[in-house]
Amino acid sequence: MKVANWFTPMIALARIAWLRTILYLFVILDMHAFVRDTRDKGEHPGLYQPLLLARLLDLPKPSVANTTVLYVVLIVACLIGATNYFPRVAGWIVAPAFTWWVLIGMSDGKVDHDHLALVIALWVLPTVKAGSRGIASYGDQTRSDAAGWAIRCIQISVIATYFLSAVAKLRSAGWALSWPGSAVLTWAIVRRPHPVGEWLLHYPWVLHVMQWVGIIGEFCSPVILWLKGRWQLSGALFFIGFHAANTAILLIHFLPTVVCWLAFAPLERVVPWYRSRRAARSDGAAHSDSDAREAEDQAEHGRQAEQQAGA
């Protein structure tokens, strides 16, 4: 029972609403900035080498026609889904469409593992029902185990991105812990020169420390799933800092995974916090107006008293 409860925590529907808006809009950015060559592969289908999942599903080869239709469908569905109107209909369109988009875009043999959490998120978000009128609200505090299951799936896929990356490093080294002691960061900096990285080449011991910190952090990443409050926030900030360092040194980003870290954030508190701040400002303004009127009344009484004394 405890295991089932862990996989289905009661989480407010508002967090799902926020994630829908953020992730569907991010998909549009992703299509134009990161996995942006899908339509190009449609123009050159002879270069297409389908990945295993594409072969299992027997997906058709990309062409100008189907990649253009796929592009239009994704843009329209993402924009509708981001508004939280018809979220389940839009979601069940976006999930398979973006999966196909990614399978085509990564058919050149380089599969970016930073898209694991994003693709999983798109598949689980439509499983959560919206409000009574079919519209999800950013302030809906109704707690749902379905929302909790979707959030937990995204969280697990985020953490799996790091843990499986560490496993892959061990496997590539013949299951020996030689990766952190190698010169892989030095090789990466030489391959992708950048001022910050080139400066670090003068301090190879720093690069070795970074490699050890990185792989230890990846192996320990599953612990974050069981942390609470500030401890979990600290773990999230560690990995976000990890990506910031990679961007500064190598200009390598992990934005599709970084944006999915929002599944750990209590986004459902945003609207109540804003409402409480607005109410506090309104109360403060009302008190100020009341004090001003009281001061005016006292001044008026004083003037009347002076007039009566003069008379």
Side-chain angles (χ1 to χ4, degrees):
M1 190 64 179
K2 289 183 178 180
V3 174
N5 290 337
W6 185 85
F7 277 101
T8 57
M10 301 296 288
I11 291 179
L13 292 173
R15 193 184 304 192
I16 296 293
W18 279 107
L19 284 176
R20 283 195 185 104
T21 297
I22 295 169
L23 294 185
Y24 289 147
L25 292 179
F26 184 83
V27 165
I28 297 176
L29 171 65
D30 193 289
M31 293 167 59
H32 293 88
F34 310 135
V35 186
R36 60 180 183 271
D37 55 350
T38 296
R39 296 181 69 186
D40 293 336
K41 287 185 171 68
E43 297 176 358
H44 305 283
L47 301 177
Y48 175 67
Q49 296 294 327
L51 298 173
L52 175 60
L53 184 58
R55 296 196 301 270
L56 292 176
L57 297 176
D58 195 24
L59 296 177
K61 284 188 176 182
S63 64
V64 174
N66 60 27
T67 55
T68 300
V69 171
L70 188 60
Y71 174 84
V72 174
V73 167
L74 269 171
I75 295 296
V76 173
C78 283
L79 289 175
I80 294 174
T83 65
N84 274 299
Y85 282 85
F86 312 107
R88 303 190 79 183
V89 174
W92 286 125
I93 295 174
V94 172
F98 187 69
T99 302
W100 190 14
W101 180 274
V102 169
L103 288 174
I104 295 174
M106 297 183 183
S107 63
D108 53 6
K110 181 179 180 295
V111 179
D112 297 329
H113 60 296
D114 62 348
H115 279 70
L116 171 64
L118 178 59
V119 172
I120 295 297
L122 296 179
W123 279 100
V124 298
L125 285 177
T127 65
V128 185
K129 294 181 180 180
S132 58
R133 295 182 298 173
I135 304 172
S137 169
Y138 301 120
D140 190 348
Q141 299 301 309
T142 304
R143 295 189 173 273
S144 164
D145 56 355
W149 180 81
I151 292 296
R152 189 66 81 198
C153 287
I154 301 172
Q155 292 175 345
I156 291 173
S157 60
V158 168
I159 297 302
T161 302
Y162 302 99
F163 184 77
L164 295 179
S165 175
V167 172
K169 291 181 176 71
L170 281 183
R171 186 184 64 179
S172 64
W175 300 106
L177 197 60
S178 58
W179 185 91
S182 67
V184 63
L185 264 183
T186 300
W187 171 81
I189 293 171
V190 172
R191 181 171 173 265
R192 303 170 65 98
H194 186 64
V196 177
E198 291 177 324
W199 175 75
L200 285 173
L201 288 176
H202 301 289
Y203 306 94
W205 65 271
V206 175
L207 298 178
H208 283 292
V209 170
M210 293 176 67
Q211 289 171 194
W212 276 104
V213 170
I215 197 167
I216 291 173
E218 288 176 337
F219 270 120
C220 296
S221 59
V223 176
I224 295 177
L225 292 170
W226 284 271
L227 296 179
K228 303 286 185 182
R230 293 182 179 180
W231 287 105
Q232 191 175 76
L233 174 62
S234 298
L237 291 177
F238 168 81
F239 281 102
I240 292 174
F242 172 79
H243 295 307
N246 276 338
T247 302
I249 297 171
L250 301 171
L251 290 181
I252 296 176
H253 70 85
F254 241 65
L255 284 180
T257 299
V258 171
V259 73
C260 289
W261 273 102
L262 289 172
F264 290 87
L267 300 174
E268 62 272 17
R269 299 180 186 176
V270 173
V271 171
W273 174 83
Y274 173 75
R275 287 173 177 170
S276 63
R277 291 294 300 270
R278 188 173 61 179
R281 287 196 299 268
S282 299
D283 291 342
H287 286 308
S288 298
D289 292 341
S290 178
D291 292 341
R293 287 193 297 270
E294 184 177 351
E296 290 177 0
D297 291 342
Q298 290 178 353
E300 181 64 26
H301 288 313
R303 286 194 296 270
Q304 293 177 358
E306 290 176 359
Q307 291 176 357
Q308 290 175 359

